[in-house]
Amino acid sequence: MTTPHDHATAVLIVGGGITGLSMALFLARLGLRPTLVERHPSTAIMPQARAFNPRTMEIYRAFGLEGEIRARSSLLADKPEMIGADTLTGPERFRIDTLAQLRPPTSLSPTDWGLIDQDELEFVVRAAAEHGGADVRFGTELIDFDAAPDGVRAVVRDLGSGAEHRIHADYLIAADGNRADIRARLGIGADGPGVLGHAAHFLFDADLDDALRGRDFMLAYFDQPVAGTVLSPLRQAGRWMLGVPFQPQQGHSVEDFTEQRCAELVRRAVGIADLDLTLVPPAAGWSPKPMDVRLGAAVARRYRAGRVFFVGDAAHVFPPTGSYGASTGIADAHNLAWKLAAVLNGQAGPSLLDTYEDERRPVAQVTLDQAMRLLNARHDGTADDLTAIDDLAMIFGYRYDSAAVRVEPHTPDEPIEDPRKPSGRPGLRAPHVWLDRDGTRVSTLDLFTGAFVVLVAPDGGDWAAAARTAAASLGVKLDIHLIGVGLQDPDERFLDRYGITSTGMSLVRPDGFVGWRSGVPGRQPEHELKQVLTQLLARKHIGHDR
């Protein structure tokens, strides 16, 4: 028997950080109405992540959000440098222009890094998710859940009124952060170095012009007062955030960071013993305390437990170097969202959901290795150590190998491909190519808006006809684009980058990854497309082709 407080939803998302909000947005745009609960009363109030990689911006671009995100760019957009030094006034170990090293050429991506503070991005994504129909409930905590074979039954509490609500969901998405309470309750551990340490983060106001000596950086790593100390400018001129590591295993805690000690730590990091500064918030009992930021490095052993899936920090935790954490979580959500929608809409078999872990967990493992290399280079290395690491390959070049990809024979086992020399192989991000539509420049990536896409080469008209018939037969939404008809390839790069001939085609999944390609005309193109789509969508397990 139901009560007025009962509620049913296809997907319950627990956690309203950027990963959970992005999941809500992606599902809403795919026609679902997910419910999201978050115990905090609002989106983030601190910057947290401050840079989102170009692949993340490609994803948001496909949802029409790039313009609004860029309109809210932080001051870091004009501060490309990163430095490593003993103190702000002391000798430097390295100084690099991070954007010069990490900015993709226009031949690689139609977009660039999103230098926006996470609190600002969460505001944008939450509004878009709610506009799309997502039911977003801040100030609401999950207090209990039971995952059964037929769905998830959860109890949530409105922290304002104290009222409890029962929610029945087909699936639960745990986006509950690096403490991963839901995953821990299900008894699923993680592999990796684990907790690397803790850092106390706090804000202060000070005129640092003399110490800066004309430098305008986005982030600095100092050896004083403790190796690994970080300093970053905030939106308000003259306001800074300092992060100082501490070791709980040695009996230290964030409670030790009194007002007097924080002021001393700032002066030591800057290298000016009598620096005039004001802690934020001002004294008056020095409340609240500095934020306790736990630095971790681990990947969950499983990404799924029945109808419960783990995304973002609940699935993997990286050190902050490389700005991988939030962007990897957003990519998790993007990968899982289309699969959930396909299963819930009856277009795919349930086993399609197994490919989420098959695809995303290996990416997290490679990303963790990369983040640890960067961490060591920034703390102890030189500019040469940093520039030797190829971030662009990690951002754009990782490869999926699962049942949701028709892997080609003799495919190399390397998990990363150099995206500057794209092959168009299945399992990789579909290459960016500039096309022309009635005088307007369009990226191939702009064509991937949530459905399967067939990109047909100029002489592959049979593939286009077969795709229409196959889509109608299977009841699958399939967008078909014939290069040379409506979309021109003025630079003549499409065939080379997608690795097909003028009579071939490429089948791109809803998340913008190549699922299959045929470099030549098909002998039975309609049959081949139906066969591939049946595999990619695990249709053999639902047996209701129309």
Side-chain angles (χ1 to χ4, degrees), residues 394-407:
M394 186 64 250
I395 292 168
F396 292 108
Y398 56 81
R399 180 174 64 88
Y400 292 153
D401 185 356
S402 78
V405 175
R406 179 65 73 91
V407 178

Side-chain angles (χ1 to χ4, degrees), residues 480-501:
I480 304 164
H481 300 281
L482 182 60
I483 306 304
V485 179
L487 287 168
Q488 305 301 322
D489 179 21
D491 300 322
E492 298 184 348
R493 293 178 176 174
F494 174 76
L495 297 180
D496 178 63
R497 293 192 176 180
Y498 277 78
I500 58 177
T501 69

